[in-house]
Amino acid sequence: MLSILFVEDDDTIAMGVEYSLKQDGFQVSLAHRLDEARDLLKRQPFDLVLLDLGLPDGSGYALCKEIRAAGDTPIIILSARDEEASIVLGLDLGADEYITKPFRLRELISRMKAVLRRGATGAIEASDRTLTCGDVTVVAQQAKVYKNGREVPLTALEYRLLLTLFANQGRVLSRGQILAQIWEVDGDFVNDNTITVYIKRLREKLEDDPQNPALIKTVRGLGYQAGD
Ligand code: CA
């Protein structure tokens, strides 16, 4: 059974989510404060951490950083803060996903499963394809990305996004089409800022000039396109 640490000080949310996760076969440990969460983390390993940001004894960001420094346990931040800066900070501190409140329970659970699946296999799709666009190559079998022959480390979600764009080279993908690939749920659920953040991060890692992207282009009003 997969064990989940849920750090959340709002009892209504905590109890609702705990109930649903248990129905779905997860084992759930609840912490209402950072110090409780730290105690639980010392006592047992968890398969995934769901983390609120505003907690009575401090910020969830601090715990996110600590968990990431200690290992690669998947972290999903659940927060009412939906500004791009908050999302970027959470991802920079090592969170795998950032879900804004209010969220739907089905959405949360499918995204948890997606994160756990990625963590389990290390590769998104079993594929022996090698996809090249410009000076960037995705070797799907190894789940690795190279620019000019040098490996570029990507997070699981960045990799998934790049793979989706490269597999559809020359086609404009709408945000909805991209989100459906990334989260495997109806794109309607997802905060639009999230995809903007991921595209930006991919450009920063892969483009020669992230301000004038040549690899991943924005097609105004339509979506994004890799290649010509
Ligand atoms: Ca809170």
Side-chain angles (χ1 to χ4, degrees):
M1 195 184 272
L2 291 166
S3 61
I4 310 296
L5 172 61
F6 185 26
V7 190
E8 170 64 68
D9 63 327
D10 181 319
D11 272 331
T12 310
I13 296 176
M15 288 189 301
V17 171
E18 183 185 24
Y19 177 79
S20 298
L21 293 182
K22 283 181 173 167
Q23 293 291 307
D24 253 60
F26 293 101
Q27 188 198 317
V28 184
S29 300
L30 262 182
H32 293 87
R33 304 165 49 90
L34 290 173
D35 52 11
E36 283 174 38
R38 289 186 179 112
D39 280 349
L40 287 166
L41 283 160
K42 266 180 232 158
R43 265 182 262 155
Q44 69 165 100
F46 289 96
D47 294 303
L48 186 145
V49 179
L50 295 174
L51 184 58
D52 181 26
L53 290 178
L55 293 158
D57 55 344
S59 161
Y61 286 130
L63 187 62
C64 179
K65 205 171 154 185
E66 288 165 31
I67 295 169
R68 187 54 66 244
D72 56 7
T73 308
I75 303 167
I76 298 180
I77 293 178
L78 298 173
S79 176
R81 300 177 197 167
D82 65 354
E83 320 85 67
E84 190 173 325
S86 302
I87 300 172
V88 169
L89 181 57
L91 298 172
D92 278 347
L93 292 176
D96 295 89
E97 288 262 5
Y98 191 111
I99 299 177
T100 52
K101 294 174 181 170
F103 53 85
R104 299 186 208 185
L105 282 164
R106 295 318 315 168
E107 180 208 359
L108 172 66
I109 289 168
S110 52
R111 284 168 71 174
M112 285 172 63
K113 287 180 175 170
V115 165
L116 289 162
R117 243 193 332 269
R118 288 197 296 266
T121 60
I124 308 309
E125 261 137 21
S127 164
D128 53 9
R129 284 203 291 168
T130 297
L131 302 164
T132 299
C133 181
D135 55 8
V136 175
T137 300
V138 176
V139 182
Q141 201 174 24
Q142 305 172 350
K144 283 186 176 168
V145 176
Y146 300 87
K147 181 176 169 68
N148 289 320
R150 187 173 297 183
E151 191 184 343
V152 181
L154 297 184
T155 66
L157 201 51
E158 289 163 0
Y159 173 75
R160 175 83 179 212
L161 174 57
L162 188 69
L163 193 63
T164 300
L165 288 163
F166 273 33
N168 294 281
Q169 247 180 84
R171 284 179 55 203
V172 180
L173 295 182
S174 69
R175 285 166 169 264
Q177 286 172 318
I178 293 171
L179 291 170
Q181 288 299 313
I182 293 177
W183 282 292
E184 297 162 309
V185 293
D186 190 332
D188 285 346
F189 296 138
V190 181
N191 183 308
D192 230 28
N193 281 339
T194 317
I195 192 154
T196 310
V197 169
Y198 282 107
I199 291 279
K200 195 170 158 212
R201 290 165 65 86
L202 271 183
R203 284 174 173 158
E204 279 162 5
K205 289 186 177 181
L206 296 171
E207 298 278 1
D208 292 328
D209 178 3
Q211 300 306 316
N212 293 296
L215 198 63
I216 303 167
K217 291 165 197 151
T218 302
V219 183
R220 195 173 291 276
L222 293 176
Y224 298 96
Q225 178 179 343
D228 296 313

